[in-house]
């Protein structure tokens, strides 16, 4: 050891420090990539999973992965937070809107996971056990399982050749083949005519057998879906009052289908009409403590209260004289909305760019924030001072939420699995908003420090080789005191 240390040159120390800096830099880059992708430290994960059992520690069993399922009933959600994926009440048309975006930008706005959920929805809504009795329905049952859009469209035409009154075939063509809203509306009108006829037939014989009851449920789903999409077509084509009437009639005709959240379509249309009294009436019915909340409910309630004070609101004046009762109510409503979904304000304040909303959303997640802001940003802009009031007050919400977040405040605790689900729902080119922000693991700080320290030693060794050799031998003397005299002599 003495002979070896006495033969070391400054070049060796320089090569050693450069190599250690390079290796620690690679480890740091890998750790950072692993944290950004999976949210955990790779070194820490390996240590807990593999090294701790070897040295006699108890292996911690990993938490069970969150289950993502398409939700239709959220009665127990207040007491048991989970990542339940809901169908977006305002989802766009694939052919007339999503596909046009792809043609213009070359980007895919929908993820495979999102479209797979839609395929499951279509099979649940538009198929039943009696499809074998009607050849056209048998073809459509296969069509909803097809992954290729052209194959689905071809199957829809085959179903129409077998039965010109196949409502679900017109639905598929309206969603995927129509390249404009006008064309989609034409297809939906044909689907409505066929759907109403089939629905009346199912009503007359639904009590004959369980199969007939299942067929009535399916035909009801088709009819409700078609009427809702026709109302959305009217809304997009500027016939707002017609759309509002269609939505109100649909909610009266099928009151038990409240889980479809048609009231959120109605709220957006009423805001476009600036019928704020009607909006308040809808909120009074659906913003109930026993009903599940949504960003549309919470932020619309905040918008109405902000509307009463936002035009004359000034943060300087408010800080001098204090907040009035109306201003306090508006601020509390904003805090309530932000606590429910903390991702929305950055989109409303245009601090973050929007993308096309997905076909499914995760309540309280970034996907819901995108879907809400995409349709409601214009309504906030229309009310003078509303965005200014939001800008001045929204960040104060986070000082009110108790720590740790598991305690909750006005709502059930914020789910920890939202980031994973949102990354599945939102396109890869969109930067997913994360709340709460995860702290960097210890090993990222450690490897960053190690890389910086070894790089600094390499630079000093290159600039001052003789001094660094003396310093290195002094360190070695502390580590190996037995060989110290020989090392010093050779020095």
């Amino acid at each position: 050891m003495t002979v070896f240390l006495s033969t070391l040159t400054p070049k060796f120390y320089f090569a050693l420090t450069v190599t250690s800096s390079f290796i620690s830099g690679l480890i740091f880059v890998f750790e950072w990539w692993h944290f950004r992708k999976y949210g955990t430290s790779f070194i820490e994960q390996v240590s807990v999973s593999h090294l701790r059992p070897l040295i006699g520690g108890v292996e911690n069993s990993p938490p069970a992965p969150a289950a993502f399922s398409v939700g239709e009933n959220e009665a127990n959600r207040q007491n048991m937070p989970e990542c339940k994926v809901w169908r977006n009440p305002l989802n766009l048309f694939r052919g007339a809107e999503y596909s046009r975006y792809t043609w213009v930008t070359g980007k895919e706005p929908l993820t495979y996971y999102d479209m797979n959920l839609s395929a499951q929805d279509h099979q649940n809504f538009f198929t039943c056990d009696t499809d074998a009795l009607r050849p056209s329905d048998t073809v459509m049952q296969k069509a909803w399982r097809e992954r290729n859009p052209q194959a689905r469209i071809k199957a829809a035409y085959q179903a129409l050749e077998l039965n010109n009154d196949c409502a679900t075939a017109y639905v598929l063509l309206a969603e995927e083949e129509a390249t404009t809203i006008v064309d989609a509306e034409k297809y939906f009108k044909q689907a409505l005519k066929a759907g109403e006829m089939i629905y009346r037939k199912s009503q007359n014989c639904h009590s004959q057998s369980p199969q007939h009851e299942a067929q009535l449920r399916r035909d009801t789903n088709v009819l409700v879906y078609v009427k809702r999409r026709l109302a959305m077509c009217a809304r997009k084509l500027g016939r707002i009052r017609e759309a509002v009437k269609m939505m109100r009639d649909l909610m009266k005709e099928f009151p038990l289908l409240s889980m479809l959240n048609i009231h959120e379509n109605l709220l957006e249309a009423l805001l476009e009409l600036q019928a704020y009294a009607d909006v308040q009436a809808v909120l009074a019915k659906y913003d109930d403590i026993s009903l599940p909340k949504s960003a549309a409910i919470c932020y619309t309630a905040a918008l109405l209260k902000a509307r009463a004070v936002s035009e004359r609101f000034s943060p300087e004046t408010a800080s001098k004289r204090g907040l009035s009762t109306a201003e306090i109510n508006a601020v509390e409503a904003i805090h309530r909305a932000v606590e429910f979904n903390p991702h929305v304000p950055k989109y409303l304040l245009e601090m973050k760019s929007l993308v096309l909303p997905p076909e499914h959303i995760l309540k309280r997640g970034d996907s819901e924030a995108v879907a809400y802001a995409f349709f409601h940003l214009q309504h906030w802009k229309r009310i003078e001072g509303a965005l200014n009031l939001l800008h001045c007050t929204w960040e104060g919400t986070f000082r009110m939420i108790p720590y740790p977040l598991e305690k909750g405040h006005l709502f059930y605790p914020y789910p920890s699995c939202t980031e994973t689900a949102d990354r599945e729902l939102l396109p890869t080119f969109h930067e997913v908003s994360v709340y709460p922000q995860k702290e960097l693991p210890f090993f990222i700080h450690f490897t960053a420090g190690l890389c910086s320290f070894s790089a600094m030693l390499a630079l000093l060794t290159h600039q001052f080789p003789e001094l660094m050799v003396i310093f290195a031998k002094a360190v070695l003397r502390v580590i190996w005191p037995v060989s110290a005299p020989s090392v010093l002599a050779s020095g």
Side-chain angles (χ1 to χ4, degrees):
M1 177 65 71
T2 303
V3 175
F4 172 73
L5 292 175
S6 64
T7 58
L8 297 181
T9 63
K11 290 184 178 180
F12 169 81
Y13 291 107
F14 177 69
L16 178 65
T17 52
V18 168
T19 303
S20 61
S21 176
F22 176 73
I23 294 174
S24 58
L26 289 179
I27 296 174
F28 168 70
V29 171
F30 178 77
E31 272 283 293
W32 177 262
W33 170 84
H34 192 275
F35 173 75
R36 295 287 294 178
K37 187 172 180 65
Y38 300 105
T40 59
S41 164
F42 176 77
I43 299 176
E44 184 177 346
Q45 189 175 7
V46 170
S47 301
V48 171
S49 302
H50 302 287
L51 298 182
R52 182 179 293 181
L54 295 178
I55 60 177
V58 179
E59 183 177 2
N60 293 334
S61 58
F68 308 135
S69 59
V70 179
E72 293 185 355
N73 191 342
E74 205 183 56
N76 298 324
R77 191 167 170 82
Q78 292 292 100
N79 299 323
M80 190 173 181
E82 57 180 294
C83 288
K84 184 178 291 186
V85 179
W86 287 62
R87 188 161 181 84
N88 182 5
L90 297 169
N91 68 299
L92 304 178
F93 294 83
R94 282 197 185 178
E97 293 173 306
Y98 288 120
S99 294
R100 293 175 72 86
Y101 178 84
T102 303
W103 298 337
V104 173
T105 64
K107 298 178 180 179
E108 290 291 342
L110 297 176
T111 64
Y112 173 77
Y113 176 71
D114 192 16
M115 291 189 289
N116 186 51
L117 290 177
S118 296
Q120 295 176 29
D121 290 342
H122 296 150
Q123 292 174 51
N124 292 331
F125 293 163
F126 304 141
T127 63
C128 67
D129 295 337
T130 62
D131 285 344
L133 302 177
R134 294 188 289 197
S136 58
D137 289 337
T138 303
V139 173
M140 287 307 300
Q141 192 175 52
K142 296 179 181 178
W144 298 120
R145 296 192 179 100
E146 289 284 352
R147 292 186 178 181
N148 186 278
Q150 295 305 317
R152 289 195 294 271
I153 293 172
K154 183 179 179 181
Y157 278 114
Q158 291 175 354
L160 289 175
E161 289 177 2
L162 296 170
N163 177 14
N164 195 43
D165 292 326
C166 182
T168 53
Y170 288 119
V171 168
L172 193 149
L173 295 176
E175 291 288 352
E176 302 201 30
E177 189 190 45
T179 56
T180 65
I181 300 298
V182 175
D183 293 338
E185 187 179 39
K186 292 177 181 177
Y187 278 123
F188 276 122
K189 286 181 177 179
Q190 292 176 288
L192 178 62
K193 182 180 178 181
E196 286 179 331
M197 182 179 62
I198 298 172
Y199 175 71
R200 285 192 293 269
K201 290 181 180 178
S202 298
Q203 275 187 315
N204 293 332
C205 57
H206 75 278
S207 59
Q208 296 179 6
S209 67
Q211 289 76 16
H212 285 91
E213 289 183 10
Q215 185 172 322
L216 177 61
R217 283 196 299 270
R218 189 275 305 274
D219 294 337
T220 302
N221 289 339
V222 173
L223 187 61
V224 171
Y225 185 92
V226 170
K227 287 187 174 184
R228 179 183 195 158
R229 293 305 253 178
L230 275 172
M232 294 175 71
C233 287
R235 162 68 182 92
K236 292 174 185 290
L237 294 173
R239 306 195 306 271
I240 315 297
R241 295 188 184 279
E242 178 185 342
V244 167
K245 184 180 184 305
M246 295 171 69
M247 292 172 191
R248 289 189 185 277
D249 292 343
L250 185 58
M251 293 167 66
K252 290 179 182 177
E253 187 177 359
F254 301 97
L256 297 179
L257 296 180
S258 59
M259 68 279 192
L260 296 177
N261 296 325
I262 302 173
H263 60 275
E264 294 194 14
N265 299 85
L266 180 60
L267 282 174
E268 197 281 325
L270 290 173
L271 286 171
E272 182 63 21
L273 288 176
Q274 301 183 46
Y276 298 114
D278 292 336
V279 173
Q280 184 62 59
V282 175
L283 285 177
K285 183 177 180 181
Y286 290 96
D287 193 5
D288 187 83
I289 192 171
S290 62
L291 296 176
K293 299 296 182 288
S294 66
I297 291 290
C298 295
Y299 278 90
T300 301
L303 178 61
L304 292 188
K305 292 189 177 181
R307 174 176 171 267
V309 299
S310 60
E311 187 175 354
R312 299 179 300 276
F313 178 79
S314 169
E316 293 81 10
T317 306
S319 63
K320 293 178 181 178
R321 62 169 171 80
L323 295 175
S324 65
T325 302
E327 288 172 339
I328 291 174
N329 291 336
V331 172
E332 288 178 349
I334 290 175
H335 287 171
R336 171 179 180 258
V338 174
E339 183 183 341
F340 182 84
N341 193 316
H343 310 286
V344 172
K346 287 189 176 181
Y347 294 109
L348 293 180
L349 298 172
E350 298 182 84
M351 300 165 64
K352 192 174 181 186
S353 59
L354 278 169
V355 294
L356 294 187
E359 293 185 335
H360 291 81
I361 59 173
L362 182 69
K363 289 193 176 184
R364 307 190 75 181
D366 192 33
S367 51
E368 184 192 33
V370 168
Y372 172 80
F374 186 87
F375 293 100
H376 288 262
L377 175 58
Q378 58 181 332
H379 306 315
W380 280 81
K381 286 184 174 181
R382 186 179 292 122
I383 297 176
E384 184 177 354
L387 289 175
N388 177 52
L389 180 60
L390 177 68
H391 174 74
C392 296
T393 57
W394 75 277
E395 290 182 309
T397 307
F398 305 113
R399 293 192 293 269
M400 300 172 57
I401 301 176
Y403 187 85
L405 293 174
E406 288 76 11
K407 292 181 179 179
H409 184 48
L410 298 176
F411 299 99
Y412 49 89
Y414 193 82
S416 60
C417 57
T418 53
E419 179 184 359
T420 305
D422 279 331
R423 291 190 188 281
E424 294 285 343
L425 291 170
L426 293 165
T428 54
F429 55 83
H430 173 72
E431 183 182 354
V432 174
S433 178
V434 179
Y435 175 80
Q437 288 288 344
K438 295 182 179 179
E439 297 181 359
L440 290 178
F442 164 76
F443 285 104
I444 288 185
H445 293 288
F446 177 76
T447 52
L450 181 62
C451 177
S452 303
F453 178 70
S454 54
M456 182 184 68
L457 288 180
L459 179 63
L460 292 175
T461 304
H462 182 266
Q463 294 293 328
F464 311 102
E466 299 298 334
L467 291 176
M468 291 305 296
V469 168
I470 296 174
F471 173 75
K473 290 181 177 180
V475 171
L476 292 174
R477 182 180 61 184
V478 174
I479 299 174
W480 292 297
V482 176
S483 58
S486 302
V487 173
L488 292 173
S490 62

